Amino acid sequence: MSAQNDTISTDSGESPTEVERGEELNAGGQESPSSADARELPLDIVFEIIRNERRRLVLRYLDETDEETVALGDLAEHIAAIENDTTEQALSAQQRKRVYVGLYQCHLPKMADSGIVEFDKNRGTISQGPNVDQLEPYLNVDTSRDDGSRQALVLGSVAVIGYALAAFGGFPGVVAGGIVVFTSLLVLALSGTSLGLQRTTD
């Protein structure tokens, strides 16, 4: 990489920024790996990290991959494919570069400074950092809320069907309505248990 102080315009997923590449080099002319020690992160830093979709995609990719360390190129391709709603093979060079530069110059250094990831700029590799677990409770909030809303909707619908059967079907309707409600509650209970086990193992 060049040690010149040339300015590069980036698309980081937020607003375009100007980054002085010369500031990334140490006295020996080599880029040093970005990392931070394990520590309790303030909530404002946690929310700053997870409020950006591209950074959340980084966290998800690192959590789901079987590899302890991933290449920046692979990560950029994966995220670019999601953002452009296409496959990695169908990506254009510009789409790849746009995400790659944004990750390299903005998102990964920010995450590395907080110990969320370990980012080696020399090798172009990323791994989970010592503080990544502190983000997990906040990343699961929306999913839990969606699951609860879906279950409430199902239960409400089942209650209406059971009531209608009981009101207009006489004694057989009461029995049928009770069976419908009981079966639905049982299915929801089993699916909730399965979902809880899945979250525990993820």
Side-chain angles (χ1 to χ4, degrees):
M1 299 185 64
S2 172
Q4 297 177 351
N5 290 338
D6 52 334
T7 303
I8 293 183
S9 177
T10 72
D11 181 348
S12 63
E14 297 170 335
S15 59
T17 58
E18 298 293 320
V19 180
E20 295 294 333
R21 295 297 298 278
E23 294 176 0
E24 297 175 352
L25 303 180
N26 58 25
Q30 296 293 325
E31 295 178 3
S32 56
S34 301
S35 61
D37 295 331
R39 67 182 189 278
E40 187 72 22
L41 296 177
L43 283 179
D44 58 338
I45 292 181
V46 171
F47 293 144
E48 171 67 19
I49 294 296
I50 65 176
R51 75 181 181 89
N52 181 271
E53 175 66 17
R54 190 171 286 178
R55 291 195 283 269
R56 293 197 300 272
L57 290 174
V58 170
L59 293 170
R60 188 180 307 162
Y61 184 83
L62 292 175
D63 183 61
E64 294 177 352
T65 184
D66 295 330
E67 302 295 330
E68 184 174 341
T69 301
V70 301
L72 177 54
D74 295 338
L75 175 62
E77 282 193 349
H78 175 79
I79 293 177
I82 294 175
E83 291 183 353
N84 291 280
D85 194 22
T86 186
T87 64
E88 295 180 15
Q89 293 74 20
L91 286 170
S92 68
Q94 183 62 31
Q95 289 171 331
R96 287 186 177 90
K97 181 179 179 181
R98 183 179 181 182
V99 175
Y100 186 102
V101 174
L103 290 172
Y104 181 88
Q105 294 188 350
C106 176
H107 297 295
L108 292 176
K110 181 187 290 288
M111 298 172 77
D113 288 343
S114 302
I116 303 301
V117 301
E118 295 284 347
F119 178 35
D120 189 328
K121 291 184 176 180
N122 290 326
R123 294 185 172 89
T125 57
I126 308 99
S127 59
Q128 290 184 331
N131 299 326
V132 68
D133 290 341
Q134 297 183 40
L135 275 62
E136 184 175 354
Y138 305 98
L139 292 172
N140 290 335
V141 168
D142 290 339
T143 301
S144 300
R145 184 175 303 162
D146 291 342
D147 292 334
S149 300
R150 189 179 301 109
Q151 289 185 4
L153 179 61
V154 172
L155 285 175
S157 301
V158 168
V160 170
I161 295 173
Y163 176 81
L165 289 173
F168 300 104
F171 181 75
V174 172
V175 175
I179 293 174
V180 169
V181 173
F182 175 78
T183 303
S184 300
L185 289 174
L186 182 61
V187 170
L188 283 174
L190 292 175
S191 63
T193 302
S194 175
L195 182 61
L197 290 175
Q198 182 179 2
R199 286 177 184 164
T200 302
T201 56
D202 283 348

